[in-house]
Amino acid sequence: MDSHYHTILVAVDGSKTADVAFEKAVQFAKLDHAKLVITHVIDIQTFANVRANQRFIDQNVTEYAQELLETYEKKARAAGLETIELVIETGSPKTLIPKVIAPRVGAGLIVCGAVGMNAMERIMIGSVSENIARYAKCDIYIVRPKTVN
């Protein structure tokens, strides 16, 4: 069984769980001398009901996404990674990550964080990590949030 990955995709949103997923993805990329693709999907549903100042909001959200990915890129380079790609998309992360971004970049592994949702939220909207696990054609590594004891 070949567990060597050439391209590792990590989905980040700036949360603590995404930070842990990023750290794990960096470890995997270092072990396999793999390309690390860091992606952030601007979830259009989050901003769908906002109409006033739409252009201002779009610009700020895009700037935030770019700054977020640049921060992660600096951390990856400081950890010794050289081959890094940044991907920002707008749409549904549940669909774009497993069905569009991962195939386009040739990901052999997707690393993402699990977000704690209650049972009703999972029934109503499902989680991003759940959809990635369901639809991705490559291996998945889902990171659970670290808990403080």
Side-chain angles (χ1 to χ4, degrees), residues 11 29 32 37-38 43 78 84 97 100 103 113 116-117 122 134 143:
D32 284 351
V37 179
I38 309 167
D43 190 346
I84 302 164
I97 294 168
V100 176
M117 292 183 157
R122 282 191 302 273
R134 180 177 297 141
V143 176

Side-chain angles (χ1 to χ4, degrees), residues 29-43:
K30 285 175 73 171
L31 285 173
D32 284 351
H33 305 285
K35 174 182 181 179
L36 181 65
V37 179
I38 309 167
T39 189
H40 175 75
V41 177
I42 300 167
D43 190 346

Side-chain angles (χ1 to χ4, degrees), residues 73-122:
E73 179 183 23
K74 287 177 186 173
K75 291 179 183 178
R77 291 201 187 283
L81 296 181
E82 296 177 8
T83 309
I84 302 164
E85 180 180 343
L86 307 179
V87 176
I88 298 173
E89 293 286 345
T90 301
S92 169
K94 295 176 188 181
T95 304
L96 287 175
I97 294 168
K99 293 183 175 182
V100 176
I101 300 169
R104 185 175 67 216
V105 301
L109 174 68
I110 300 173
V111 181
C112 64
V115 177
M117 292 183 157
N118 64 40
M120 185 54 72
E121 288 172 317
R122 282 191 302 273

Side-chain angles (χ1 to χ4, degrees), residues 6-60:
H6 299 285
T7 303
I8 297 171
L9 174 65
V10 60
V12 297
D13 61 7
S15 67
K16 297 288 184 197
T17 306
D19 289 346
V20 176
F22 170 77
E23 291 169 11
K24 189 60 73 172
V26 167
Q27 290 174 4
F28 290 146
K30 285 175 73 171
L31 285 173
D32 284 351
H33 305 285
K35 174 182 181 179
L36 181 65
V37 179
I38 309 167
T39 189
H40 175 75
V41 177
I42 300 167
D43 190 346
I44 57 172
Q45 290 186 331
T46 302
F47 302 99
N49 294 324
V50 180
R51 296 289 179 242
N53 300 315
Q54 186 66 42
R55 186 180 308 176
F56 176 75
I57 291 168
D58 290 345
Q59 180 180 350
N60 284 342

